């Protein structure tokens, strides 16, 4: 997953997915990352690709994602 501020690239994250242990979660995560997302009951698709970071917790986690 690549990150940027405006058009300036600032870094990447690499994820290791354990598809043999959690195949559905891994598939859903990959779809969110590629922008394909799975539709909800209203037919809306959510993804991470191209969305803004909503929150950063130091030494913790980031929160992002939204409608594709």
């Amino acid at each position: 997953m690549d990150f940027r501020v405006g058009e300036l690239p600032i870094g990447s994250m690499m994820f290791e997915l354990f598809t043999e242990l959690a195949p559905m979660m891994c598939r859903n995560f990959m779809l969110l990352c590629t922008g394909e997302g799975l539709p909800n009951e209203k037919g809306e698709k959510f993804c991470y690709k191209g969305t803004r970071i909503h929150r950063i917790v130091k030494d913790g986690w980031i929160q992002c994602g939204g409608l594709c």
Side-chain angles (χ1 to χ4, degrees):
M1 184 178 289
D2 298 320
F3 293 89
R4 66 175 197 246
V5 174
E7 295 301 317
L8 177 67
I10 59 169
S12 298
M13 291 178 106
M14 184 180 300
F15 299 91
E16 182 176 5
L17 302 177
F18 297 92
T19 55
E20 64 282 350
L21 297 175
M24 288 181 62
M25 191 286 304
C26 292
R27 180 176 179 273
N28 289 341
F29 182 74
M30 288 188 287
L31 291 172
L32 288 167
C33 289
T34 61
E36 296 172 68
L38 294 174
N40 65 12
E41 63 280 349
K42 296 179 184 177
E44 302 167 318
K45 290 171 81 175
F46 290 86
C47 65
Y48 298 134
K49 185 176 183 175
T51 64
R52 296 177 178 225
I53 294 176
H54 307 290
R55 185 178 355 179
I56 300 173
V57 176
K58 185 178 178 183
D59 298 323
W61 45 273
I62 62 171
Q63 184 178 4
C64 62
L67 288 171
C68 297

